[in-house]
Amino acid sequence: MDTDRSTTGIGENRKDALPAHAIYRLGSPDMRHWAVGSLCFARESRQVVSAGCGGIRLFDVQSGALLLSKSVHGGAGCVDYCSCLDSIVYSSFGDWNLHVVRMGPGFHRDFLLRHSPGAIVKCIPGTSLAISTERNECHIRLWNLRSGTCLQTITGSDNAGGSLREAGHVTIGADGKTIAFVGDSFAIWSLTAEQRLQRQFRLENMSGRCVALCPSRLLAAVGKDDGTVAVIDLGKRAQIQRISAHANRVGAVAFSRDGAFLFTTGEDATLRAFDLNTLKEVSRFSCQGSIMWSLALSEDGTKVGCGTPDGRILILNVPFSYGRQEFPRDDNRVQYPCYSSDSRWIAAGGGPNGTVHVWDGRYGQLRFTLPEQRTNARCAFVGANQFLLIVDQRGFVSVLDTEDWARRQEYELASVDVTGLTVASDGEHVATMHADGSAMIWEWHSGRRIETLFARDSSGVSSIAFCPGESVVAYSTWGKVDFVDFARGIVCATINPRSHDDLIVTMSSRSQLALASRGVGNSLEIWNVRSIQKSSYVHGRRLRCEHSSYRELAFTPDGRFLAYAIGSASVGACVIHVCRAVDGIREMTLAGHGNWIDSLQFSCDGRRLLSGSFDGTGIVWDVSGLYS
């Protein structure tokens, strides 16, 4: 097999060495920064810190120059700045903890604060204290960032007021003493002189996803899932206004310094300003299809910053009509790469500018850049490789002819918020997963929906795979795999594996089903599936592989080998293992990605393996040694 490394992909100017067994890399190996979920101003608003799937970054507000960057395993969730310590605190999706790092010539970690998953953290102005909250675990904690100690932990059983229904999002007033929480309810807490948190009052029927306190007036704002914002008078302890702000979910809210205006971002890709006296919208900025979840206001109130899922960080002067600044983005990012069935082409979408790249499958040379302008696009080759199917997050579909790469069809799916794409071995049927927990099976050439799959409980569909040669799909939910004959609309069989967790599945040409858990400490299982459509049952033996936090699975075309990607803080790296399907014995280990792996696919001869990662790169591996 040809393993000439003299030709590379679009990252050919890189200076890094390829990892062992790698033939070439697609994209730049530099730290990727996308899905910006949180940001804050720092150092008297001269700089801005952002947190995203690549890690944390520090930018100069005036020039937009990148000053510092830190890769965070699994990505960073929430970030805030402590001016007293000139430090930032952020939550990590890799180890589910809070990290305190000093700013300066580089990011230097001071403390690791043990916490539960999904923490929201805010620093208390003028102090070295911070507050964190976690909605699922229902905890509120008060931290001393100088010593790295937890001063107070509050749970539902610790309070006479019952469970912490307000544990969710948190914000802190300019006085450093008033704290607002919102979750299933809204509550105001205070920080006492003894550095203890104490609840002042709670509004039971006031739920929301984000909250803000007014610096100059006794007002609070709660953003809701229905697109409205509730304005609460803290003196009266009641809602006084409701603003119809967005078409769907509100992402973030913030008051102007004088309390005259309210800023909001939402899932409809807009940033808006409302006059609180008239409740009328006075200014709007559209972000061209990118959902905006994060929002930050500078100390002097003259600038507002927001981050987007495609990696953009926007700094706008107030009002929004002038002074827009957009920080540089990574235009080399590779997301969800896929092979054509003959391995001639590799296609990948997901670039911040919405383009789709197509490479030569043998040498990794970039052949075409398709300006599709698609958000979080996923690609697949269909129709005997004659067409390239591009499906973006919003459910828009483009069909391109691979002869001239011209667009032949364009339509919109009945369901939106696409989170996954799978193609049947016949190249005719396609399955998509969606953010509402459903999955849809449809025909690519017409967009006609054949079947919609839902979980039998509220867990949602987490993975789906077509059974070769049959009109049957296997789809996983929480702790269960169902087989559905979509031609007849009936459930053929059900597997109840040992792992009661979020499951991923894949099928081989030998009718083997591999399933694994995305949770920690669970096993990988391989099942033999016998003609489900005819005999309606599944049987076989389970094979256990001692690893945790499985990310992706893929069989070789002949079904002899299974590749599985793992990655967690306990493992310490994101690696791919290849084992024999018959007994689970590991044959090969591949390491080279800097973040969780989100796609795996073997070439048509099984001698190459294509992997994609949250680090924004794809790698083609030489696995021909499996057949030596």
Side-chain angles (χ1 to χ4, degrees):
M1 181 176 185
D2 188 293
T3 58
D4 180 12
R5 300 188 184 186
S6 61
T7 56
T8 60
I10 59 178
E12 59 185 355
N13 294 324
R14 64 178 184 275
K15 298 180 180 179
D16 69 310
L18 287 172
H21 302 290
I23 302 174
Y24 56 80
R25 189 197 300 266
L26 309 173
S28 167
D30 297 335
M31 191 203 78
R32 293 294 149 193
H33 196 62
W34 58 284
V36 179
S38 176
L39 76 163
C40 64
F41 284 93
R43 294 177 170 174
E44 299 177 345
S45 300
R46 299 190 308 271
Q47 298 169 354
V48 65
V49 183
S50 63
C53 284
I56 54 176
R57 279 185 171 184
L58 176 67
F59 293 93
D60 180 79
V61 171
Q62 187 67 27
S63 64
L66 176 64
L67 303 178
L68 294 171
S69 65
K70 177 179 176 60
S71 180
V72 177
H73 179 70
C78 182
V79 65
D80 203 13
Y81 174 69
C82 177
S83 59
C84 287
L85 303 178
D86 194 27
S87 300
I88 63 170
V89 55
Y90 68 89
S91 58
S92 168
F93 288 123
D95 57 12
W96 303 116
N97 291 313
L98 301 178
H99 297 253
V100 182
V101 297
R102 286 179 287 115
M103 297 168 64
F107 286 125
H108 303 285
R109 192 178 79 177
D110 285 340
F111 296 108
L112 173 66
L113 309 178
R114 299 294 177 184
H115 207 282
S116 49
I120 302 295
V121 60
K122 291 293 181 181
C123 297
I124 299 178
T127 72
S128 59
L129 305 179
I131 295 174
S132 65
T133 177
E134 205 289 316
R135 188 166 191 164
N136 294 330
E137 298 294 333
C138 205
H139 286 160
I140 294 174
R141 290 184 172 93
L142 177 65
W143 301 91
N144 186 327
L145 301 182
R146 191 181 299 276
S147 62
T149 57
C150 181
L151 303 179
Q152 186 180 5
T153 299
I154 304 171
T155 63
S157 58
D158 296 330
N159 298 273
S163 63
L164 285 176
R165 289 172 47 81
E166 64 264 37
H169 196 269
V170 59
T171 192
I172 302 172
D175 59 1
K177 297 180 180 179
T178 305
I179 302 102
F181 294 91
V182 70
D184 294 333
S185 64
F186 170 84
I188 292 292
W189 291 60
S190 62
L191 179 67
T192 66
E194 295 78 20
Q195 294 187 346
R196 306 291 289 180
L197 295 175
Q198 184 176 357
R199 182 191 289 148
Q200 299 301 309
F201 70 90
R202 179 167 65 184
L203 302 179
E204 292 288 352
N205 296 324
M206 182 61 64
S207 63
R209 61 178 299 110
C210 54
V211 63
L213 287 172
C214 183
S216 56
R217 301 167 62 182
L218 288 176
L219 297 177
V222 174
K224 295 177 170 292
D225 285 335
D226 61 3
T228 63
V229 176
V231 180
I232 301 170
D233 188 316
L234 301 183
K236 299 178 181 179
R237 300 185 177 185
Q239 175 182 318
I240 58 172
Q241 294 173 336
R242 181 178 287 266
I243 301 173
S244 297
H246 296 273
N248 37 36
R249 289 183 292 182
V250 177
V253 291
F255 286 95
S256 62
R257 297 304 176 192
D258 58 5
F261 299 98
L262 177 68
F263 305 106
T264 66
T265 63
E267 208 174 47
D268 58 1
T270 60
L271 167 64
R272 309 188 188 201
F274 295 89
D275 188 322
L276 288 178
N277 293 321
T278 63
L279 301 185
K280 292 183 178 180
E281 182 180 324
V282 295
S283 187
R284 178 187 299 194
F285 173 77
S286 177
C287 198
Q288 299 178 353
S290 292
I291 300 169
M292 290 189 285
W293 290 124
S294 52
L295 178 64
L297 199 65
S298 63
E299 291 185 14
D300 59 7
T302 61
K303 296 182 184 296
V304 62
C306 54
T308 69
D310 62 7
R312 281 181 286 178
I313 299 173
L314 305 174
I315 304 295
L316 299 97
N317 289 331
V318 179
F320 310 144
S321 57
Y322 68 97
R324 171 191 170 187
Q325 183 177 7
E326 184 174 331
F327 290 169
R329 298 175 294 161
D330 294 316
D331 291 330
N332 254 8
R333 186 163 59 86
V334 175
Q335 187 177 6
Y336 311 119
C338 68
Y339 266 125
S340 58
S341 62
D342 58 2
S343 303
R344 179 187 177 188
W345 304 111
I346 295 175
N353 56 359
T355 58
V356 174
H357 298 301
V358 180
W359 295 267
D360 173 88
R362 183 177 184 185
Y363 298 110
Q365 294 175 326
L366 180 63
R367 295 300 189 187
F368 306 99
T369 297
L370 311 174
E372 284 299 303
Q373 299 296 321
R374 297 302 189 188
T375 303
N376 292 331
R378 296 171 187 265
C379 304
F381 289 90
V382 294
N385 298 318
Q386 185 179 352
F387 300 98
L388 175 64
L389 188 71
I390 302 173
V391 183
D392 74 359
Q393 182 179 350
R394 296 167 295 175
F396 290 103
V397 180
S398 295
V399 180
L400 279 65
D401 193 322
T402 57
E403 289 296 325
D404 54 7
W405 302 103
R407 188 181 302 169
R408 293 292 182 258
Q409 292 187 63
E410 189 173 25
Y411 52 85
E412 186 175 356
L413 296 178
S415 298
V416 296
D417 292 333
V418 177
T419 59
L421 174 68
T422 303
V423 178
S425 58
D426 61 7
E428 298 298 323
H429 296 99
V430 180
T432 48
M433 294 183 296
H434 303 270
D436 62 359
S438 67
M440 187 175 72
I441 302 171
W442 46 284
E443 296 175 344
W444 68 264
H445 51 80
S446 65
R448 183 179 69 89
R449 180 172 55 186
I450 300 174
E451 182 74 25
T452 301
L453 307 174
F454 295 95
R456 299 186 191 181
D457 50 30
S458 59
S459 60
V461 178
S462 56
S463 182
I464 190 168
F466 284 91
C467 297
E470 302 186 63
S471 59
V472 176
V473 293
Y475 71 98
S476 61
T477 56
W478 192 270
K480 182 175 58 177
V481 179
D482 286 327
F483 292 83
V484 172
D485 184 339
F486 56 85
R488 296 186 293 169
I490 61 172
V491 177
C492 303
T494 297
I495 289 179
N496 294 298
R498 294 176 183 175
S499 175
H500 297 286
D501 209 335
D502 185 21
L503 299 174
I504 52 176
V505 296
T506 189
M507 291 287 299
S508 78
S509 59
R510 298 184 176 186
S511 296
Q512 298 161 300
L513 173 76
L515 61 92
S517 169
R518 286 197 175 104
V520 177
N522 293 293
S523 65
L524 166 67
E525 301 178 7
I526 301 177
W527 290 67
N528 292 322
V529 179
R530 296 292 183 87
S531 190
I532 298 175
Q533 191 177 31
K534 297 179 180 178
S535 54
S536 300
Y537 73 93
V538 180
H539 76 282
R541 60 192 184 94
R542 294 164 172 163
L543 302 174
R544 184 177 180 86
C545 299
E546 299 296 335
H547 287 287
S548 61
S549 192
Y550 293 90
R551 308 305 305 174
E552 291 293 330
L553 305 170
F555 280 104
T556 54
D558 59 10
R560 292 175 56 188
F561 299 97
L562 173 69
Y564 55 94
I566 60 174
S568 67
S570 60
V571 174
C574 299
V575 299
I576 303 167
H577 294 301
V578 184
C579 70
R580 297 192 310 197
V582 66
D583 52 17
I585 295 177
R586 190 191 306 169
E587 295 285 345
M588 185 175 288
T589 297
L590 309 171
H593 281 297
N595 211 320
W596 280 342
I597 294 165
D598 57 22
S599 62
L600 286 176
Q601 186 182 359
F602 282 95
S603 60
C604 59
D605 60 3
R607 297 179 179 272
R608 289 187 177 190
L609 175 63
L610 171 63
S611 61
S613 169
F614 284 160
D615 66 6
T617 67
I619 297 179
V620 174
W621 307 88
D622 180 3
V623 293
S624 57
L626 296 172
Y627 295 91
S628 298

